[in-house]
Amino acid sequence: MKTSIYGAALAVLVSSPVLAGDLVAPVMEQPVIAAEQPVFQTWTGGYIGGNINYGFGSLDANDDLASILTTNGFSDNLSEPNGVSGALRAGYDWQFGRGLFGLGAEYNFGSYDGDGEGILAGSGVDVEIQDMATIFARGGYLVKDNFLAYGLLGYSQAEGEVSLGGDSVSEDLDGVTIGFGGEYMFTENWTGYAEYSYTDFGDVDNTDGQLEADLQQIKFGVNYRF
């Protein structure tokens, strides 16, 4: 009789809500994790900035003059103007997904200087390429949301000057500029870039095609985007 009473009491206690809750392991709800969406930086908009650059150019004899010099054992290179300069730049970009197209302009307010080379070595001749202005279009691809790789194509004008003693002669230089570079977005407004460009000025004006010039530049700059 006592055994039956104890058994019934134990069954009631075990089935009570309090004890039942203690004996059943709690069910933990798994948090719902939303798929992470990529956040794209926007590159559409205008910018203004500047760069420090190193330029190295060449003034060479061409056509008949080059033939005469080489026939007589001289190099056709007449000067290699070079140096460090600075430039201001502004433009506007349009972003299409990960693609980008932009238009811009740059003005180099410095100059690249060189002494005479080859037959002009030691003559006291000084050659300068200065006041260079460029308009350009560029196209690029966002390798990362904040890093742009690009190429550019433009048109440049500059002044070339040859001096000897107190006399000097200046001529306009103009030609096609091509280049490539990378631009990194540090913040929403600030970017930094590195760029290489090559400008082929072709024949120098008023030399009957006997002289030609070109210029290469390596640039490091920053832009403020708005």
Side-chain angles (χ1 to χ4, degrees):
M1 182 65 176
K2 290 182 177 180
T3 301
S4 299
I5 293 174
Y6 292 152
L10 181 60
V12 171
L13 289 174
V14 171
S15 63
S16 67
V18 175
L19 293 181
D22 291 341
L23 295 175
V24 179
V27 177
M28 301 295 293
E29 292 187 3
Q30 297 296 322
V32 178
I33 302 176
E36 185 177 351
Q37 298 296 322
V39 178
F40 291 96
Q41 303 277 20
T42 176
W43 289 71
T44 297
Y47 63 86
I48 185 169
N51 63 68
I52 299 296
N53 57 77
Y54 174 70
F56 46 104
S58 181
L59 176 66
D60 299 310
N62 190 36
D63 202 17
D64 293 338
L65 179 58
S67 298
I68 293 172
L69 291 177
T70 55
T71 299
N72 288 275
F74 293 102
S75 168
D76 60 0
N77 178 240
L78 302 178
S79 183
E80 295 181 346
N82 64 84
V84 176
S85 186
L88 299 176
R89 174 178 289 194
Y92 196 96
D93 292 324
W94 294 266
Q95 181 180 344
F96 306 94
R98 287 197 171 274
L100 180 139
F101 174 76
L103 297 174
E106 179 178 290
Y107 175 71
N108 190 317
F109 49 82
S111 65
Y112 307 111
D113 305 318
D115 297 328
E117 300 284 344
I119 195 173
L120 297 180
S123 65
V125 168
D126 179 69
V127 176
E128 291 186 44
I129 298 176
Q130 57 192 5
D131 298 328
M132 181 171 172
T134 303
I135 56 174
F136 62 86
R138 70 173 184 167
Y141 179 79
L142 291 171
V143 179
K144 294 183 178 180
D145 294 342
N146 60 351
F147 181 73
L148 173 72
Y150 65 88
L152 64 83
L153 177 65
Y155 171 77
S156 298
Q157 285 189 328
E159 180 183 359
E161 182 176 278
V162 177
S163 303
L164 178 60
D167 299 323
S168 63
V169 177
S170 298
E171 293 293 345
D172 291 334
L173 305 174
D174 64 284
V176 174
T177 294
I178 59 174
F180 60 87
E183 187 169 356
Y184 184 85
M185 182 175 285
F186 296 103
T187 69
E188 183 179 354
N189 299 109
W190 288 100
T191 63
Y193 63 92
E195 182 180 297
Y196 166 82
S197 67
Y198 171 76
T199 301
D200 183 3
F201 291 117
D203 295 339
V204 178
D205 289 348
N206 299 315
T207 65
D208 295 323
Q210 301 302 303
L211 295 177
E212 60 183 10
D214 61 26
L215 177 67
Q216 301 179 66
Q217 294 172 285
I218 299 174
K219 309 175 184 181
F220 298 94
V222 294
N223 289 325
Y224 178 79
R225 308 185 71 89
F226 49 86

